[in-house]
Amino acid sequence: MVQRKYLFPNVIELNLQSSQSFGVNLYLIDGGTEWALIDVGQDDTLGEVIELIRKLDFPLSKCKMLIATHADADHVQALAAARDRLKAKTGAHPRAAVALEAGDTVQTFARITAQNIDMPMPPCKIDVKLTEGDEIKVGKLKLKVWHTPGHTPGQLSFRLGNLLFSGDNIYKDGCVGAIDAHHGSHLPSFISSLTRIRDDDAEFLLPSHGPVFRKDPAILQNAIDRLTKYQHMADFGTCTVSWPLEEEWKRDILAGKMPEL
């Protein structure tokens, strides 16, 4: 048996536990009589993850749920295999479930042809569709489900006491999850999700990438301000709300106005 390294009471982060990187943060929620896992990572590390959980003396048969923060391949490529090996239920937002059950390689970023990224994305049945306000009971604990869209339509966060498992919403350096049309990213929703996180009284944020950190409203406000500008920048293509320069140009064309050079 390996000695457990609790990051917070009832929470083990498996990268920190094993002193190795599994690609994304994997949070084991210890409810005493049963446990759950927030994100499972990729196929090539699943065997190591399961073996680590076994060495930590968590009975594999007591896995309450395999929870997907969202449908990105780096977080959930191994979800189908984990469901099969652990005989556990899977949980995800209905919007994420569509991509996961279809094995959609584009929306999950399993395939990005322009960057020579092409990994399998095995379809996975989602047993429990998780929506805003739901509670996931894990032994003596309850995870409160938040729907925090923006990065993806099906991005979820989870509140446990003074902790918020915040997915790809915000990282310690103020960066946010990728903004991309293929993801279904939506900037106004992203801003609303970040505002909600900023205004909530959770003390610590546990993101899906990078270190856990004490919530700093200034970091969140900086991201909100940045994304507010992104809404009107051509850099973000069809994710933008408007592009003032293009609108002005069309008005000038219709008015027969020549450019001022």
Side-chain angles (χ1 to χ4, degrees):
M1 177 177 170
V2 173
Q3 184 177 355
R4 298 175 182 177
K5 300 177 184 177
Y6 285 92
L7 180 60
F8 295 100
N10 309 112
V11 178
I12 297 173
E13 200 289 300
L14 296 182
N15 292 266
L16 291 174
Q17 173 68 54
S18 62
S19 298
Q20 72 178 88
S21 174
F22 292 117
V24 298
N25 296 343
L26 309 175
Y27 296 104
L28 188 148
I29 310 302
D30 177 8
T33 57
E34 54 189 2
W35 56 276
L37 194 60
I38 298 178
D39 285 340
V40 298
Q42 299 186 41
D43 280 334
D44 60 356
T45 57
L46 179 62
E48 294 174 87
V49 169
I50 291 177
E51 183 59 25
L52 175 60
I53 292 169
R54 192 195 311 273
K55 288 179 178 178
L56 291 170
D57 200 30
F58 288 103
L60 300 186
S61 62
K62 296 299 182 180
C63 180
K64 175 66 178 286
M65 190 179 294
L66 301 165
I67 304 168
T69 57
H70 57 299
D72 283 2
D74 56 335
H75 296 252
V76 292
Q77 187 206 21
L79 193 59
R83 180 178 182 269
D84 181 61
R85 291 181 63 174
L86 295 173
K87 311 302 179 188
K89 291 183 178 180
T90 54
H93 188 270
R95 292 290 299 273
V98 172
L100 291 168
E101 293 187 332
D104 185 331
T105 56
V106 174
Q107 191 171 342
T108 62
F109 272 16
R111 179 177 298 144
I112 307 175
T113 303
Q115 295 179 330
N116 296 317
I117 296 172
D118 191 1
M119 67 177 77
M121 189 63 201
C124 182
K125 177 177 173 57
I126 301 301
D127 302 294
V128 182
K129 307 299 195 300
L130 299 170
T131 58
E132 171 68 34
D134 286 348
E135 287 186 343
I136 305 170
K137 295 181 180 179
V138 185
K140 63 184 179 182
L141 305 175
K142 291 181 181 179
L143 289 172
K144 188 79 169 182
V145 177
W146 288 17
H147 181 211
T148 51
H151 168 55
T152 71
Q155 170 82 65
L156 295 174
S157 299
F158 307 94
R159 181 74 190 264
L160 177 65
N162 66 340
L163 311 177
L164 182 69
F165 298 87
S166 49
D168 277 1
N169 282 293
I170 187 78
Y171 312 126
K172 186 178 181 180
D173 62 358
C175 290
V176 300
I179 299 166
D180 190 278
H182 291 299
H183 259 59
S185 298
H186 187 252
L187 285 165
S189 296
F190 215 149
I191 292 165
S192 294
S193 294
L194 292 172
T195 301
R196 180 182 185 184
I197 294 170
R198 181 199 64 192
D199 294 344
D200 186 67
D201 63 356
E203 187 176 359
F204 295 98
L205 300 183
L206 290 76
S208 293
H209 297 276
V212 171
F213 61 104
R214 188 180 295 272
K215 190 180 76 174
D216 182 347
I219 290 175
L220 283 146
Q221 188 59 53
N222 182 270
I224 291 166
D225 292 343
R226 194 169 71 248
L227 267 63
T228 298
K229 293 177 182 177
Y230 289 172
Q231 291 182 110
H232 309 288
M233 294 176 62
D235 306 34
F236 296 91
T238 56
C239 291
T240 59
V241 173
S242 68
W243 185 19
L245 177 66
E246 179 71 6
E247 292 169 0
E248 181 182 353
W249 174 234
K250 288 179 179 177
R251 287 194 299 269
D252 288 349
I253 290 171
L254 293 175
K257 182 180 178 181
M258 295 296 289
E260 295 180 8
L261 302 175

